[in-house]
Amino acid sequence: MAQKPTIPKGTRDFSPIEMARRNFIFDTIKDVFQIYGFQQIETPAMENLTTLMGKYGEEGDKLLFKILNSGDFLSMVDPSELNQFNSSRLTTKIAEKGLRYDLTVPFARYVVQNQNDIVFPFRRYQIQPVWRADRPQKGRYREFYQCDVDIIGSCSLLNEVELIQIIDNIYKNLGVRVTIKINNRKILAGIAETIGELDRIVDITVAIDKLDKIGILKVNEELNLKGVSAEAIRKLQPILSLTGSNIEKLDQIEQVIKDSETGVKGIAEMRTIFNYLTLIDIESEIELDLTLARGLNYYTGAIFEVKSRHVEIGSITGGGRYDDLTGIFGMSGVSGVGISFGADRIYDVMLQLDLFPKNTTSAASILFINFGDKEEKYCLPIVADLRAKGIRTEIYPDQDKMKKQMNYANRKGIKFVALAGESEISQGMITLKNMDTGEQMLLKPDQLSSVLKE
RNA sequence: GUGGAUGUAGCUCAGGGGUUAGAGCACUGGAUUGUGGUUCCAGGGGUCGUGGGUUCAAUUCCCAUCUUCCACCCCA
């Protein structure tokens, strides 16, 4: 037996029905992006590793797919280095390129490289696959699509508000009920500063991020383990047990962190955003969630995360404000904010909730049965005419048995079959059969399109 | 990186230390030579993941290894 073909771990093929559904998601997202005036760009699947390395933290570097240099990739390596078996050092010599890990960093690179041609504030969207060398599991893939929208070159909080509107619009159009969680890195920094552990901000946010998963006791335990002082942990408690509306929560936090300049700024930002939001209709639930930390270390202001209210799958959209993403590429003082929709997880959610429209099919509307040479020639112009009128039309390519051709139409969900044999040809007609009802009628060829369009 | 499951026909999965390993779906042909879906009959298709061990005998038991899936970490 021939070797069984497989695809790499964490990757998937998409069948026609899946593509029809995926395109429904992409089209919905794209339409909303465009309504808000965003313009599309694309960047290469691969970037130079120097562009990608160090942008996603230590973990991120490990999750980058690296591409072996072309040609004799070992020729430039010193044999003594080979013998050290230090793969991370060796990597930099034998691999100069990597697959993109997200769309934000390549976008930052794009902005820096094209700064003279870009009109700022730049509103772009980008829908492309990204790759992560993660262990795959439910809702986690090694190749998946992100749909990013970013506004770069504007500090206005109006942008944050627009992104929330976009999230709300898109999920409304998709029929998915979501909770939009918002937090602010400045508030997190303020908390860390207040309890005197500013340099431990990462440990602290990672720990409180787990609050709803492992509970307050375990979080305290973990903080203690990470070396956060007992006094600091004590000060942290009121923040871990906030209650009330978003505004009430803000009031409570402000009391705790009022001496931190950064923290107060973060509070003010959140108040501004919530104020704007009172002016517009938002259907999604919006929740100020202090436990929301988000891993990517370039966020500096507001951070967002969207979760499905009915399906447990992790976040389906995430993003935030980054004040100096382009700084690492030599263009400082440019603030941006953006979010990313995870198309694959949205797909999983919608499939589970059975939210795809029933008629998402890409199959033809009508199939012409192939009876023979003479009949083919009779049908061909009629087929061409239907196609010119925008009707998805197929003619069966082989002169197979009719049973097989009918079965083909049936299996593909083609609703109409056109039969033109000797008797139809002699009358200049077509027999049109409705595969759902079994009904047949004899029509003139130019009547077909109007019946099919009903 | 850690832990748990998994691997038998193209696909989904049963089974079992002993002659020739099964089912459904799919495919091919027939009942039905211009009428699909339902039904019936027949047919093709297997290194039982790989390597080793125990045994008179292993696809079955044991060990290792790989694969895929699930959980942790982290994330969309």
Side-chain angles (χ1 to χ4, degrees), chain A residues 155-158 160-161 164 182-187 247 250 254 261-277 288 300-304 321-323 335 337:
Chain A
C155 299
S156 167
L157 293 171
L158 215 47
E160 272 83 342
V161 174
I164 293 168
I182 312 180
N183 194 10
N184 194 301
R185 269 290 164 88
K186 293 193 180 78
I187 295 180
I247 299 295
L250 277 180
E254 189 161 29
E261 196 184 319
T262 313
V264 169
K265 224 167 141 191
I267 299 271
E269 285 181 15
M270 297 312 279
R271 284 195 199 284
T272 306
I273 292 171
F274 284 125
N275 274 334
Y276 277 128
L277 289 176
L288 174 68
T300 51
I303 42 188
F304 308 101
R321 157 108 24 207
Y322 39 88
D323 276 337
S335 185
V337 58

Side-chain angles (χ1 to χ4, degrees), chain A residues 24 73 91 176 188 282 335 396 401:
Chain A
F24 174 74
F73 56 85
T91 299
V176 178
L188 292 174
I282 299 286
S335 185
Y396 197 88
K401 287 203 296 200

Side-chain angles (χ1 to χ4, degrees), chain A residues 63-79:
Chain A
L63 298 181
L64 284 170
F65 278 107
K66 288 142 192 131
I67 299 170
L68 231 36
N69 291 343
S70 312
D72 186 2
F73 56 85
L74 282 181
S75 63
M76 302 297 283
V77 182
D78 195 302

